[in-house]
Amino acid sequence: MASSKRTDQKSIWGHYGCPLVCHHQSPGKPHHKVKQEQSSSSQDTAERIGREAKRRHFQCRVESLDSYEVANLINELLVVFVCATTGQGDPPDNMKMFWRFLFRKNLPPGSLCQLDYAVLGLGDSSYPKFNFVAKKLHKRVLQLGGNPLLPVALGDDQHDLGPDAVIDPWLLALWDKILALYPLPPGLEIISPDVRLPPKYTLHYLDEDSPHPSDGPLQSTVPRAVASELHPFAARMVSNQRVTAESHFQDVRLIEFDVTGSGIT
């Protein structure tokens, strides 16, 4: 099986259901991970997987499941879903379109036969439908012919150590599986946790009397489009106020931006 997977592509996919999607490609190898959920913890987990992927020489993009063109899922080779359960077993708002498509009755049983996948769920065992979305997603992808890398992981907020009690060992096992299928090229090694990765964002500091960001280093290189995750609007910060006392150990701030002309309401 490992030998059959040694292609020139590696792809991991990520979505979080407050949804998050990570898509990254290493040189010549596609690597995808998908994550979906409705809380910051699921997005944080997806971002963590993205960072770990970069340490294994992948590039990663994280976005919502509903931002992903789900019809392209049949072309993916490797996907990791990170999803949370909301309410009484309902899928998160930002994965509902993805959810409806995936459960269409007319999808062929073998449509995802080339897909290796894993599902990481985040939930709370005090609710009756604990990690229902993760369990159901895992079962549905399996029905469509997907090949599970690991049993579905069920993170639990009620655990003494929190969801990390499940997430940490599960991720170790996941990377062992992935690297067995897609080994690092000769001469490359996993980047040590002691090495700081390149920053995800770049900040440009502007003087108060500087021209509008659209005339400076924040000028977009693409034609003006409706503001979105893929086409962000360069907004000027108009205020930055600390709302906690100077003596408080946390520096919490209220930051306001001028979004005039962005179409954001």
Side-chain angles (χ1 to χ4, degrees), residues 11-259:
S11 130
I12 288 186
W13 215 95
H15 290 279
Y16 57 93
C18 68
L20 166 133
V21 171
C22 300
H23 170 273
H24 67 276
Q25 293 183 330
S26 69
K29 298 185 178 181
H31 174 230
H32 256 77
K33 71 174 179 284
V34 184
K35 154 172 178 15
Q36 55 220 356
E37 75 116 343
Q38 200 120 346
S39 73
S40 60
S41 62
S42 59
Q43 181 171 355
D44 290 344
T45 302
E47 295 282 2
R48 171 184 172 181
I49 297 174
R51 292 190 297 271
E52 292 187 7
K54 290 181 179 180
R55 293 191 180 279
R56 290 155 179 82
H57 303 280
F58 293 102
Q59 295 179 350
C60 186
R61 182 168 58 93
V62 177
E63 62 187 10
S64 151
L65 268 178
D66 277 354
S67 299
Y68 177 71
E69 182 53 63
V70 64
N72 292 334
L73 195 58
I74 61 172
N75 300 316
E76 305 296 350
L77 300 179
L78 176 59
V79 174
V80 180
F81 297 90
V82 184
C83 48
T85 297
T86 63
Q88 298 302 316
D90 300 321
D93 290 340
N94 58 356
M95 71 168 288
K96 287 184 175 178
M97 289 189 296
F98 174 91
W99 195 254
R100 285 195 295 268
F101 182 93
L102 198 65
F103 282 87
R104 286 169 49 181
K105 294 181 179 180
N106 62 347
L107 293 180
S111 54
L112 298 181
C113 62
Q114 71 171 1
L115 176 67
D116 291 325
Y117 76 98
V119 178
L120 168 57
L122 299 174
D124 187 323
S125 59
S126 65
Y127 288 86
K129 293 191 174 182
F130 171 56
N131 267 317
F132 178 79
V133 171
K135 296 172 184 176
K136 192 170 182 178
L137 176 62
H138 177 82
K139 182 178 180 180
R140 180 54 174 164
V141 177
L142 185 62
Q143 289 176 341
L144 295 174
N147 309 299
L149 294 173
L150 294 172
V152 58
L154 305 177
D156 185 4
D157 284 341
Q158 293 299 316
H159 192 285
D160 290 343
L161 301 177
D164 286 345
V166 169
I167 294 172
D168 291 351
W170 187 83
L171 285 179
L172 290 174
L174 176 67
W175 288 117
D176 285 344
K177 289 281 188 177
I178 290 175
L179 291 179
L181 292 173
Y182 304 102
L184 291 173
L188 278 184
E189 296 182 356
I190 298 174
I191 300 173
S192 168
D194 297 330
V195 177
R196 182 176 298 178
L197 293 172
K200 184 176 181 180
Y201 303 103
T202 301
L203 296 178
H204 298 275
Y205 291 92
L206 304 177
D207 295 331
E208 292 184 3
D209 57 351
S210 65
H212 189 274
S214 61
D215 301 323
L218 298 183
Q219 172 65 45
S220 174
T221 58
V222 298
R224 174 61 59 86
V226 176
S228 67
E229 184 177 2
L230 297 179
H231 301 287
F233 177 79
R236 175 184 286 275
M237 183 175 68
V238 295
S239 70
N240 180 357
Q241 299 177 346
R242 178 168 178 151
V243 295
T244 50
E246 290 293 337
S247 59
H248 194 268
F249 73 98
Q250 287 182 320
D251 183 354
V252 180
R253 294 186 174 261
L254 172 63
I255 300 177
E256 296 181 351
F257 295 92
D258 179 4
V259 296

